[in-house]
Amino acid sequence: MKPRLNVSAQQEAQHERSLYAAVLTLRTTDELRAFFRDLCTPAEIEAMADRWAVVECLGRGLPYREIHRVTGVSISTWRLNSASSAARACR
């Protein structure tokens, strides 16, 4: 991540909360898709989709090696466990 030269930790936290609040206002998959396409590069969207595929596999109880085989995502890229909020979201 890039260093934040002119942003305090409090400002950074507020920006993050504001982002989450904006996401919560979106109601449909199409709205979310448009939002993420406006905000993220194609590579960033692909990386999030890859990580979500990992979360779905974790939610199904697949072992890490099988997840890597199925998704192609390196185990070192993710560190989730079955108790994570992302894993709970896919159940």
Side-chain angles (χ1 to χ4, degrees):
M1 299 210 339
K2 67 180 182 178
R4 302 289 180 121
L5 301 177
N6 298 321
V7 178
S8 71
Q10 184 178 6
Q11 289 170 317
E12 190 171 324
Q14 177 56 41
H15 293 158
E16 188 175 323
R17 282 191 301 274
S18 178
L19 171 64
Y20 299 146
V23 170
L24 288 173
T25 67
L26 304 170
R27 297 173 190 253
T28 68
T29 303
D30 289 338
E31 287 179 350
L32 283 163
R33 182 181 296 114
F35 179 85
F36 282 114
R37 285 184 176 170
D38 284 347
L39 198 63
C40 302
T41 66
E44 290 167 332
I45 293 171
E46 181 180 3
M48 284 190 287
D50 287 348
R51 288 183 175 144
W52 187 249
V54 168
V55 169
E56 290 178 322
C57 289
L58 285 170
R60 294 193 326 256
L62 292 179
Y64 282 10
R65 289 182 197 268
E66 180 67 8
I67 294 170
H68 170 67
R69 189 189 69 72
V70 168
T71 66
V73 176
S74 169
I75 293 173
S76 64
T77 301
W78 44 276
R79 293 285 176 238
L80 294 171
N81 61 56
S82 60
S84 75
S85 59
R88 287 192 311 271
C90 75
R91 292 186 187 143

